[in-house]
Amino acid sequence: MGPRWVARSWTLDEGLPQNSVNAILQSGDGYLYLGTFGGLARCDGIDFDVLGPRQGLPASRITTLHTASDGVLWIGTEDAGVFRSTAGSGYEKVPLPHLPVGPVVGIQGDRDGATWIGTSRGLIRLGAPGDRAWDEARGMPDDWAMSLFEDSRGTLWVGTETGLLRREGERFLRVALPERV
């Protein structure tokens, strides 16, 4: 007989701020963070704490979460930009240069220590070798950076509405994908 799996459902009744979950991550200290359009929930495996204005997080429409290699929790929102938190330090709004920020849909760290922010209006790099933004007017083939991934060789990949992009230096090149069969 194979392993037996136990399924448990968490809803408003168990403490979630909303039933639809947009983002999930487990932090280095073992907490499970769930981003919803009703706020950010932190779960210790049993109980939920809803994190919001009283904890310094003014935004409630959470779209994406990321834990950086230094343990900083990054929180992307639909309508209030990006926030970050170090254990016990509250939440700090992150200034995003160069672009009008729409919904934040992805956050990814890279091996050089930079943090990449994907939005509906372009892509932003914070940190090494300097803050920079890309959109169609600044050399990116598509404004909507829907998903981000850094592979084992350090190449950043960006999923957009019109296809896949690969970072080469300071440029983003469209990747030709095979035709559907």
Side-chain angles (χ1 to χ4, degrees):
M1 189 170 196
R4 302 188 113 194
W5 296 96
V6 175
R8 182 167 176 206
S9 176
W10 287 331
T11 65
L12 286 167
D13 293 337
E14 288 74 36
L16 274 178
Q18 187 192 39
N19 285 337
S20 298
V21 176
N22 301 319
I24 302 171
L25 74 75
Q26 186 171 20
S27 61
D29 57 5
Y31 284 102
L32 191 63
Y33 286 85
L34 303 126
T36 75
F37 282 152
L40 179 64
R42 181 179 64 199
C43 181
D44 62 7
I46 299 169
D47 296 313
F48 285 96
D49 292 319
V50 177
L51 308 171
R54 280 190 267 157
Q55 294 77 23
L57 183 62
S60 63
R61 297 184 63 80
I62 310 302
T63 53
T64 187
L65 300 168
H66 170 69
T67 302
S69 59
D70 61 2
V72 172
L73 173 64
W74 290 75
I75 303 158
T77 70
E78 181 183 58
D79 53 6
V82 175
F83 297 83
R84 65 182 165 212
S85 175
T86 307
S89 70
Y91 297 90
E92 165 193 24
K93 185 164 174 87
V94 177
L96 298 178
H98 310 297
L99 287 178
V101 177
V104 175
V105 293
I107 302 174
Q108 172 71 47
D110 73 15
R111 64 174 54 182
D112 296 326
T115 301
W116 295 84
I117 313 288
T119 78
S120 64
R121 297 191 177 164
L123 183 64
I124 300 166
R125 179 187 64 214
L126 301 176
D131 297 349
R132 173 125 190 242
W134 291 264
D135 60 8
E136 285 186 85
R138 293 173 181 91
M140 196 165 129
D142 188 344
D143 280 345
W144 193 287
M146 297 175 73
S147 60
L148 307 170
F149 176 74
E150 184 184 47
D151 68 21
S152 61
R153 290 183 276 186
T155 301
L156 183 71
W157 298 84
V158 181
T160 73
E161 280 192 311
T162 60
L164 183 63
L165 307 178
R166 181 184 71 242
R167 177 180 176 225
E168 288 195 12
E170 295 295 302
R171 300 181 328 153
F172 288 87
L173 305 175
R174 190 170 304 284
V175 175
L177 299 173
E179 293 288 323
R180 283 184 132 167
V181 183

